[in-house]
Amino acid sequence: MGSVRIGLSQFFSIALLFELGTALVVNLGILSGKDAWVSILLGGLAGILVFLGYAYLYWKHPDLTFTGYTTKLLGKAIGVPVSIAYIVLYLNLAARDMRDGGTMLAMATMHHTPLFILSTLMILSSAYVLHKGIEVLTRTSLVFLMIVLLIGLFSTIMLMLSGSINLNRLLPVMETGIQPVLESVVRQSYMFPFGEMVCFTMLMPYLSNSRKGPWVIMGAMLTAALLLAYTMALNISVLGADIVERSPLPLMPAISKISISDFIQRVDIFVVMVLIIGVFFKMSVFFAAALIGISEVFKLPYRKMLYPAALIILLTSMVDARSFIEHLDEGGRLLYTVYPFFMIVVPAVLILVTAVKSHFSERRPD
Amino acid sequence: MTARRDSGTQSGAKAAGARADGAERRLSLDLHESLRNIQAEVGYSPDIKVREIRLGPAPGIQAAAVHLSGLTDAQLLNEFVMGALLQNAEELTDNPVDELPKLLLGRALEVGEAAIAEDWNETLIAVLSGDTAILLDGCTVAIICGTRGGEWRSVSEPTSQLVVRGPKDGFVESIATNISLVRRRLRSPKLRLESMKIGTETQTTVVLMYVKGFASDDLVGEVRKRLEKVAIDEVLESGFIEELIQDKTITPFPTIYNTERPDVVVGNLLEGRVAILVDGTPFVLILPAVFTQFFQSAEDYSQRFDIAILMRVVRYLSFIVLILGPSVYIALTTYHYEMLPTTLLINLLAQRENVPFPAFVEAMLMEIAFEFLREAGVRMPRVIGQTVSVVGALILGSAVVEAGIITPIMVIVVALTGIASFAIPAYNMAIAGRLIRFAFLLLAGMFGFYGITLGLIVMIAHMNSLRSFGIPYLSPFVPLSVRGQKDTLLRLPMWMMNPGKSPQQMRAELPKSMQITTGHEAVLSPAIKKNEEMDRKREGGNSNEPE
């Protein structure tokens, strides 16, 4: 890897922003009704466990990316196709993310602007930032994390002052037992957004401190789980589980309940801003992961494939589905059919191989 | 002064040597040939003055003093060069001609700065800089006497970066005066100057200034390296140097700070930065410069720290208003009008009823008109300055509203951004903001808040990719440094900005017994007084008991 080193605070912010990303505004873990926040917390813990596996792989190969050690461990014949599959996954995830973001944006405010134009602007900005380098992306995330957190703080205070929060809507916790919660964890919340951390295996070689780094990222995941659970609890306590379940972007109607003496009202534009920032950084991280993978597997300079990859993401996001409903349906199915293979099965195999190899190689010197 | 002079001649010689393609040219043995050569080289310019004299008793040694009229200090030349030469040279003329320059230098000349020049180009440049060259017949060296002088603007209040409280002197066009202004404030032997000549035609003196032990050697070395690389014909202003040594040119943001204020230079030197002084301009460059530096004013340190923080916050706010003001207005009125309170919205729509343009065109027209006004105001002769403000602000502003072309609220928004641009202390940062404002205007006109948010992301990413001599432009915010926050957005009290010193060490504190109390305890409240007396009695009683 190059000489670029990214500090811990910047890694924390990019990981946190990546996790909050789109998850902050959608109805996450809603399969479990008003216990969605419990489901998110459990999902977060499960995600951290999965991430421990990635961290193990990273500690064993601190200078290699995921594609790097896949090729090293499985040999070129298997490793390269697997790496290419991962690159396709990242490109696809970036595209799906952009579709999500673009459509939500069109639903929320930009009713008349074509989706293609919105997506083009987004991918161009992302390409510009990545052209400046991954370090610039992570540094920028630090500034925008502050903005997102400030917006969150402001909205919370305003919601409290408007008196829209009714905590009774959250009660009783786990009315029908733990069954639905666990089901929603398995089907939704541990993969999205926590399992998606698999793309950080491509970025982790840039960490300035290889010992502490993964722990910092796990700290970011925990913070993200707490914030997401808090947001979901806030949504439900403002709107009630019923409305949240039926709304694609529950944070919007929740925030629009803010009304202070007819002056501060309809501040849902802040939610749109959070949405844009979240989508941008999430998509950019996937984009960056794909670019690093491409430059490693095909031995190409990083910037050379920037615009072709941007074009692929843009077109994939457009032809991904005929409608948003189809897109969401597809996403829901991918979540428990395809993604676990990439996010758990393959890393598990790699962990096994690494463990066996290091076990034998350690013994040899004796 | 002497230090500068010494190093100045050295590197001057270096520069001149390089100019003559390495071949060293010397003066001719024959005085008249040398004089003819000089005259020919400058094209028989009428302001070159040659005064031929004979030294010593008749027939004496032929000599000539060459100088440029207008660039020399006439009194210095007459009294301490010519007068001294003619009076003191008599007993020296017995010596061989070869040794004469040294003897004259040592025993005859009374002028403070003098040196021997062996090189032709060095002599010529010295004369063109205002020094006097003394040439002797039969001798291939010249004596250079420092007689630079002539007319300069005197030290006056700076025209930019004004303060209410603080020193009122500003730099002038003379580099010697500028150096003295800095030296007068910083009497430390650690202050180092390095002089060089830049500009193949203008031969402008450029001085690199830093405080040894404060500025890192790497930084000084890097600046020196970049300055030496500069290859340009003319250096008329420090901006020429700035453009050629900055890290990256494709950015609206300035990465080198400039100031007219000596106190700012001294403050920055002591913070470990490097200053570059250029002869002929009052603007001194300071580097490396980060984003936050352009929002600081010298006055922050002469006011109370809480007031200073308020002033700084106002400046950052004004920058945000400058770049986002009109674009947020456009986004709100064209895309997200549901955010506005209903009464305000009705008011706005009523105003827009008769206006033929969309808000974006309206804003663009007004912003461009405002730029015209500002540019006219800056370049125009002072005498008709009043007219522009009357015509521009009053007639244009009110007529355009009465004619129903622009809504009154748009005039308010544009005026607000205009004023906000003046609240930023650094002019070059304000210009950058004015430029970026148009980009945001376009984004907001097409995409509303979506465009603004993406524009902000791209702008901050761009700023993150900038570096000023290796320092990240947005530090100490990104990368985050808690220690660095002491003097950026905040301006903490002096004792908190100097680690390792307690407040007691830094400020004179009265002993406890002399500190001012409310007086309430002792005088106003008899009850407290009584209690205290009783306490004292009891203590006194206790201590008395053993006796």
Side-chain angles (χ1 to χ4, degrees):
Chain A
M1 298 310 297
S3 59
V4 183
R5 282 279 175 266
I6 296 168
L8 294 182
S9 64
Q10 290 152 44
F11 244 97
F12 179 85
S13 67
I14 188 84
L16 184 50
L17 215 48
F18 174 84
E19 288 293 279
L20 295 181
T22 40
L24 201 58
V25 289
V26 299
N27 43 16
L28 199 59
I30 202 63
L31 274 181
S32 49
K34 61 179 172 298
D35 296 328
W37 60 279
V38 185
S39 151
I40 294 170
L41 281 183
L42 291 179
L45 291 180
I48 290 175
L49 277 181
V50 173
F51 188 81
L52 264 177
Y54 306 149
Y56 173 77
L57 283 172
Y58 167 66
W59 277 318
K60 286 287 173 195
H61 316 276
D63 294 326
L64 290 177
T65 61
F66 190 84
T67 51
Y69 50 73
T70 309
T71 326
K72 192 179 153 198
L73 291 174
L74 302 180
K76 256 203 164 142
I78 311 176
V80 169
V82 170
S83 301
I84 292 174
Y86 268 91
I87 293 167
V88 173
L89 172 78
Y90 295 141
L91 286 175
N92 185 259
L93 279 170
R96 289 193 57 81
D97 208 61
M98 203 163 73
R99 178 69 180 256
D100 276 341
T103 318
M104 286 179 205
L105 206 67
M107 280 197 295
T109 58
M110 314 291 293
H111 310 293
H112 304 298
T113 317
L115 188 58
F116 184 73
I117 301 292
L118 292 178
S119 304
T120 309
L121 193 66
M122 175 78 86
I123 196 80
L124 278 179
S125 323
S126 180
Y128 175 80
V129 174
L130 286 180
H131 179 83
K132 295 281 177 198
I134 293 179
E135 199 187 5
V136 168
L137 176 72
T138 57
R139 283 188 182 181
T140 310
S141 75
L142 196 63
V143 176
F144 284 92
L145 178 68
M146 293 297 156
I147 293 177
V148 168
L149 292 182
L150 278 180
I151 289 176
L153 189 71
F154 170 80
S155 311
T156 308
I157 293 173
M158 288 299 146
L159 273 176
M160 279 179 191
L161 291 182
S162 343
S164 332
I165 298 177
N166 183 359
L167 289 178
N168 288 328
R169 295 196 176 112
L170 286 171
L171 298 175
V173 178
M174 289 194 233
E175 204 177 1
T176 51
I178 202 160
Q179 194 77 26
V181 175
L182 288 182
E183 196 190 327
S184 86
V185 169
V186 171
R187 291 188 60 160
Q188 289 181 326
S189 46
Y190 87 106
M191 271 294 121
F192 177 78
F194 301 104
E196 289 174 336
M197 289 299 285
V198 70
C199 69
F200 271 75
T201 54
M202 304 298 290
L203 301 184
M204 276 199 284
Y206 290 111
L207 269 171
S208 64
N209 185 335
S210 62
R211 186 165 291 277
K212 278 191 203 158
W215 294 111
V216 167
I217 297 178
M218 279 181 250
M221 289 175 76
L222 190 67
T223 317
L226 291 174
L227 285 176
L228 288 174
Y230 164 77
T231 311
M232 206 60 207
L234 198 70
N235 287 343
I236 294 170
S237 65
V238 171
L239 299 172
D242 203 34
I243 300 178
V244 173
E245 228 164 287
R246 270 177 270 156
S247 159
L249 307 172
L251 195 58
M252 294 272 293
I255 294 296
S256 60
K257 292 278 178 204
I258 291 176
S259 172
I260 291 175
S261 66
D262 283 345
F263 177 68
I264 301 177
Q265 54 184 3
R266 302 292 319 254
V267 290
D268 27 349
I269 194 65
F270 286 135
V271 180
V272 175
M273 257 181 105
V274 169
L275 174 71
I276 299 166
I277 293 171
V279 169
F280 179 87
F281 281 99
K282 193 161 186 178
M283 199 257 300
S284 299
V285 170
F286 284 132
F287 191 178
L291 277 177
I292 295 172
I294 290 173
S295 80
E296 279 222 343
V297 173
F298 299 102
K299 307 275 183 295
L300 280 170
Y302 163 86
R303 287 204 175 90
K304 206 167 183 179
M305 286 305 287
L306 189 66
Y307 291 96
L311 207 61
I312 292 173
I313 293 176
L314 181 62
L315 293 180
T316 315
S317 87
M318 294 316 294
V319 299
D320 172 61
R322 277 164 293 181
S323 69
F324 192 52
I325 305 298
E326 191 186 336
H327 172 80
L328 285 184
D329 188 48
E330 197 182 284
R333 261 184 291 128
L334 284 173
L335 216 51
Y336 58 92
T337 52
V338 178
Y339 294 168
F341 175 74
F342 283 104
M343 290 159 192
I344 295 176
V345 177
V346 176
V349 170
L350 289 177
I351 289 170
L352 220 65
V353 175
T354 309
V356 169
K357 270 197 173 171
S358 66
H359 184 71
F360 283 112
S361 66
E362 263 167 38
R363 206 175 261 179
R364 209 167 290 153
D366 286 317
Chain B
M1 260 324 257
T2 4
R4 182 189 74 86
R5 185 62 213 154
D6 288 345
S7 58
T9 34
Q10 275 168 20
S11 49
K14 229 184 283 165
R19 208 161 85 99
D21 303 324
E24 202 160 283
R25 225 173 125 193
R26 297 185 73 112
L27 291 163
S28 159
L29 268 177
D30 179 30
L31 176 67
H32 289 281
E33 197 188 328
S34 287
L35 289 177
R36 263 200 310 279
N37 282 342
I38 290 180
Q39 294 275 23
E41 185 97 14
V42 296
Y44 299 95
S45 173
D47 59 347
I48 278 267
K49 303 290 179 203
V50 178
R51 172 126 161 47
E52 288 185 48
I53 48 175
R54 273 176 189 277
L55 299 179
I61 297 166
Q62 279 202 326
V66 183
H67 71 96
L68 270 179
S69 68
L71 278 187
T72 44
D73 184 336
Q75 197 190 355
L76 205 62
L77 179 67
N78 293 342
E79 277 185 31
F80 299 107
V81 180
M82 301 309 289
L85 208 56
L86 291 172
Q87 273 173 24
N88 303 342
E90 292 201 4
E91 62 244 52
L92 298 172
T93 43
D94 308 337
N95 296 292
V97 177
D98 289 345
E99 289 172 23
L100 210 52
K102 238 175 221 160
L103 288 168
L104 284 175
L105 198 65
R107 295 170 62 180
L109 288 168
E110 288 175 6
V111 71
E113 302 168 21
I116 290 178
E118 303 197 343
D119 182 62
W120 163 262
N121 273 316
E122 190 189 339
T123 313
L124 200 63
I125 285 167
V127 170
L128 289 175
S129 313
D131 289 340
T132 304
I134 296 170
L135 276 56
L136 298 170
D137 194 27
C139 196
T140 58
V141 298
I143 306 171
I144 308 291
C145 305
T147 53
R148 294 180 195 191
E151 295 302 314
W152 286 107
R153 187 167 65 90
S154 60
V155 173
S156 56
E157 201 175 341
T159 49
S160 62
Q161 300 173 333
L162 298 178
V163 294
V164 176
R165 177 178 170 182
K168 302 278 185 189
D169 55 345
F171 287 125
V172 293
E173 283 76 9
S174 154
I175 195 164
T177 315
N178 291 350
I179 292 169
S180 72
L181 284 174
V182 174
R183 276 257 188 230
R184 212 167 276 167
R185 285 188 167 75
L186 189 60
R187 295 170 196 86
S188 162
K190 286 187 230 148
L191 179 64
R192 297 295 149 86
L193 306 173
E194 288 175 23
S195 171
M196 50 186 88
K197 292 257 197 288
I198 296 181
T200 42
E201 296 308 319
T202 55
Q203 293 290 328
T204 313
T205 311
V206 173
V207 170
L208 176 67
M209 199 186 250
Y210 58 95
V211 180
K212 188 91 186 157
F214 284 65
S216 80
D217 291 341
D218 292 346
L219 174 66
V220 176
E222 177 68 27
V223 176
R224 194 184 297 131
K225 207 175 77 196
R226 289 194 196 179
L227 278 177
E228 278 164 4
K229 268 193 187 161
V230 170
I232 186 176
D233 286 351
E234 41 173 12
V235 178
L236 303 180
E237 215 276 325
S238 49
F240 288 61
I241 303 271
E242 176 179 347
E243 198 176 321
L244 292 173
I245 63 168
Q246 69 191 356
D247 286 52
K248 192 176 184 178
T249 39
I250 312 172
T251 174
F253 291 102
T255 54
I256 293 177
Y257 189 76
N258 67 63
T259 183
E260 268 186 287
R261 304 184 58 83
D263 52 331
V264 172
V265 170
V266 172
N268 278 295
L269 286 175
L270 290 176
E271 281 169 20
R273 297 197 184 84
V274 172
I276 297 176
L277 286 76
V278 176
D279 198 15
T281 175
F283 289 95
V284 171
L285 303 179
I286 293 172
L287 48 95
V290 293
F291 181 68
T292 54
Q293 211 176 333
F294 293 89
F295 293 88
Q296 297 176 355
S297 160
E299 200 176 342
D300 295 351
Y301 306 97
S302 26
Q303 298 292 355
R304 298 179 55 85
F305 79 95
D306 36 8
I307 310 292
I309 291 175
L310 176 75
M311 295 195 298
R312 280 200 183 162
V313 170
V314 166
R315 286 184 215 133
Y316 284 104
L317 269 182
S318 73
F319 189 69
I320 293 171
V321 168
L322 169 62
I323 61 173
L324 291 182
S327 46
V328 165
Y329 173 74
I330 289 175
L332 278 180
T333 49
T334 32
Y335 290 94
H336 316 283
Y337 33 81
E338 75 275 5
M339 272 186 74
L340 294 171
T342 320
T343 40
L344 179 61
L345 188 61
I346 291 169
N347 189 350
L348 274 181
L349 286 181
Q351 285 183 18
R352 289 203 52 80
E353 192 94 338
N354 304 320
V355 174
F357 305 119
F360 169 67
V361 175
E362 211 185 338
M364 216 59 181
L365 281 177
M366 272 318 270
E367 289 290 352
I368 291 173
F370 192 79
E371 290 296 315
F372 286 164
L373 270 180
R374 182 165 15 205
E375 191 59 21
V378 175
R379 308 285 159 228
M380 225 180 22
R382 287 270 145 80
V383 199
I384 44 173
Q386 294 284 323
T387 331
V388 162
S389 52
V390 170
V391 171
L394 298 179
I395 301 181
L396 202 63
S398 63
V400 102
V401 170
E402 273 170 31
I405 302 174
I406 306 285
T407 54
I409 196 145
M410 182 55 84
V411 177
I412 297 175
V413 169
V414 170
L416 196 66
T417 51
I419 292 168
S421 77
F422 295 126
I424 299 162
Y427 183 65
N428 43 2
M429 185 55 87
I431 304 177
R434 274 157 59 188
L435 193 66
I436 296 164
R437 180 188 54 177
F438 282 102
F440 275 102
L441 215 58
L442 211 66
L443 282 172
M446 292 199 298
F447 300 104
F449 267 110
Y450 178 61
I452 294 179
T453 313
L454 281 184
L456 275 178
I457 293 177
V458 167
M459 184 182 91
I460 292 194
H462 174 74
M463 286 163 87
N464 269 323
S465 74
L466 291 180
R467 275 165 189 276
S468 175
F469 287 80
I471 310 287
Y473 196 53
L474 281 185
S475 65
F477 296 121
V478 192
L480 191 65
S481 135
V482 178
R483 195 177 286 249
Q485 301 298 326
K486 287 175 182 170
D487 190 18
T488 47
L489 182 62
L490 304 178
R491 198 287 263 175
L492 295 184
M494 294 289 181
W495 60 267
M496 284 174 88
M497 288 201 284
N498 289 270
K501 280 187 186 163
S502 69
Q504 281 76 23
Q505 277 176 310
M506 281 198 69
R507 63 175 178 217
E509 274 199 356
L510 285 172
K512 268 273 183 294
S513 59
M514 285 175 68
Q515 275 177 7
I516 300 164
T517 60
T518 54
H520 172 81
E521 301 86 341
V523 183
L524 294 177
S525 167
I528 294 177
K529 204 171 180 182
K530 208 180 277 172
N531 282 344
E532 274 182 358
E533 269 171 22
M534 281 173 72
D535 283 347
R536 213 175 296 136
K537 255 180 209 162
R538 205 178 300 135
E539 276 172 24
N542 287 344
S543 60
N544 281 345
E545 250 178 0
E547 282 180 33

